[in-house]
Amino acid sequence: MITDSEGEKDISMNSYCAREMLLFTGNSHPDLARSVANRLGIRIGTCSVYQKSNKESRVEIGESVRGKDIFLLQTGSRDVNDAIMELLIMAYACKTSCAHRIIGVVPYLPYSKQCKMRKRGSVVSKLVATLLCKTGLDHLITMDLHQREIQGFFDVPVDNLRASPFLIQYIQENIPDYRNAVIVAKTPASARKAQSFAERLRLGIAVIHGEPQEADSDQADGRNSPPPSQKQDSASLDWKNTETPLAHGLQEEEDTAPSSSSYSRRRNISIGHFEGLEIPMLTAKEKPPINVVGDVGGKIAIIVDDIIDDVDPFVAAANVLKDRGAYKVYVMASHGILSSDSPRILEGSSIDEVVVTNTVPHELQKLQCHKIKTVDISFILSEAIRRIHHGESMSHLFRNIALDE
């Protein structure tokens, strides 16, 4: 016998299954889109995305999307601004064509590193989130956000998937004698991620402290100006106390005004008293000597991070680890952007292997550097798409993942 609640659940599931699903993609990562489509057993929807002669992005959807679940797969690539505009235009085109739901599949969210206020800058990832929500996205699937708090920038549900299970599996299957390894945090800020890997692999952890940081220079931006003194304040207010004909006339008008409180005006000028008061100044930061907290001698060092783009800090960390006795150095990251001359620098560095996922296309980089290895994460993306389309729980994809990871 089926109860009312079970019957309603069956009807809801049938409505999910009866609705058609379409997968569209832009020009950012067509190989990943094909892998996801093959795992789902569907085809990629007909959609033409190109640039006109003046570099404007144009989208032409070649089939009906009315009443369907639309999944838009687009990731941050080397042409990051083009990728964002293509995603925005595709989402808006589906919205105005009466799609039932529009789900963005963005493995690497562009501008996610700009998620904090820097001097007189702005939180650009908040701007990107607002644009995506305004164009019609109802849901977002992404992977390993630079800061998990970015999920709060969106007004729609966000599923922040993790690539760590695939990277840990790679360590267990492809690194000989990984039991003799130590997980390394390149900076104290990435120690939490390294601790997560170390606890799952039952390995030790090491932290590199003293890596040169970017110095914030305030010498020329106007924020070093001291507070005005009392003498300066008094001088600046002298003009207000000088009797001019205009000021005298105004005073006469105020004197002849009715004495009622509704008509009386009184101007109070407050003079700041800063004499003898100083804002406490912090001691300037000094770069400490580079030190490795933990034992890496005679072990395999595995540096873990979420994004690897500028490889100079990773190369410097690898040199320090080799000096401390590590005989092999691996670098693992979820997003391998590897822009500019990064492949060439990696090829001549002391790093033995760089392992990244295929959230970002890097086939050209692999041709320039044989040390780059790729881990396929299309399975978890396709499973997330399937579960959302059928209205199933997503908790299975977050097994054993703590809230603080």
Side-chain angles (χ1 to χ4, degrees), residues 57-347:
S57 298
R58 183 155 186 172
V59 174
E60 296 177 359
I61 298 178
E63 55 188 292
S64 175
V65 299
R66 184 179 295 271
K68 300 177 182 178
D69 284 347
I70 306 302
F71 293 86
L72 305 176
L73 197 154
Q74 186 83 331
T75 190
S77 59
R78 299 180 68 180
D79 301 323
V80 59
N81 295 325
D82 292 338
I84 291 176
M85 283 306 303
E86 290 175 5
L87 178 59
L88 294 175
I89 297 173
M90 284 192 296
Y92 192 65
C94 293
K95 177 183 178 181
T96 54
S97 299
C98 301
H100 180 262
R101 286 191 303 173
I102 304 171
I103 298 94
V105 184
V106 189
Y108 170 62
L109 183 67
Y111 289 97
S112 61
K113 294 189 74 173
Q114 298 190 45
C115 59
K116 294 181 180 179
M117 179 68 72
R118 299 291 185 187
K119 290 188 178 178
R120 295 188 177 96
S122 61
V123 184
V124 184
S125 56
K126 168 61 177 174
L127 172 63
V128 173
T130 303
L131 291 173
L132 292 175
C133 294
K134 291 294 184 182
T135 51
L137 283 190
D138 299 300
H139 202 127
L140 180 70
I141 302 172
T142 185
M143 178 168 286
D144 282 338
L145 291 172
H146 185 59
Q147 297 288 340
R148 63 182 184 278
E149 290 81 5
I150 297 176
Q151 298 177 77
F153 294 163
F154 291 85
D155 297 328
V156 299
V158 177
D159 287 314
N160 182 27
L161 305 177
R162 304 296 197 274
S164 54
F166 300 91
L167 296 176
I168 290 174
Q169 183 181 16
Y170 183 92
I171 294 175
Q172 293 172 335
E173 296 179 354
N174 297 277
I175 297 182
D177 195 21
Y178 80 92
R179 292 293 182 185
N180 188 36
V182 59
I183 306 299
V184 179
K186 179 174 59 70
T187 61
S190 58
R192 179 177 295 175
K193 189 177 185 67
Q195 180 183 1
S196 174
F197 274 69
E199 290 176 351
R200 282 165 170 74
L201 291 167
R202 309 295 191 267
L203 300 176
I205 185 174
V207 180
I208 299 178
H209 177 62
E211 183 187 17
Q213 303 290 331
E214 295 181 0
D216 293 333
S217 176
D218 297 334
Q219 297 300 321
D221 66 356
R223 294 191 292 180
N224 273 347
S225 57
S229 63
Q230 181 180 1
K231 187 175 181 180
Q232 291 174 341
D233 263 2
S234 301
S236 63
L237 292 174
D238 284 344
W239 66 273
K240 294 184 179 179
N241 298 327
T242 304
E243 290 190 1
T244 61
L246 179 60
H248 186 69
L250 290 174
Q251 183 65 33
E252 287 182 352
E253 289 181 4
E254 291 182 358
D255 291 341
T256 58
S259 59
S260 173
S261 60
S262 60
Y263 293 92
S264 62
R265 296 179 180 178
R266 186 172 296 176
R267 297 180 180 178
N268 296 325
I269 301 176
S270 62
I271 301 177
H273 298 278
F274 297 102
E275 188 174 3
L277 299 178
E278 292 184 359
I279 299 175
M281 301 300 293
L282 294 175
T283 305
K285 291 183 178 179
E286 293 184 2
K287 298 176 182 178
I290 294 180
N291 185 32
V292 179
V293 181
D295 182 21
V296 297
K299 296 183 178 181
I300 302 172
I302 304 175
I303 305 174
V304 296
D305 212 333
D306 58 339
I307 300 172
I308 175 170
D309 186 8
D310 179 16
V311 299
D312 289 335
F314 293 90
V315 173
N319 294 334
V320 171
L321 293 172
K322 286 289 182 75
D323 292 341
R324 297 299 192 278
Y327 72 91
K328 275 191 177 181
V329 176
Y330 289 78
V331 175
M332 294 204 162
S334 303
H335 311 294
I337 302 174
L338 300 172
S339 57
S340 189
D341 292 335
S342 296
R344 179 183 57 80
I345 297 174
L346 286 176
E347 185 67 22

Side-chain angles (χ1 to χ4, degrees), residues 38-50:
N38 291 336
R39 290 185 179 276
L40 291 170
I42 62 175
R43 63 178 179 84
I44 298 178
T46 304
C47 181
S48 178
V49 182
Y50 60 95

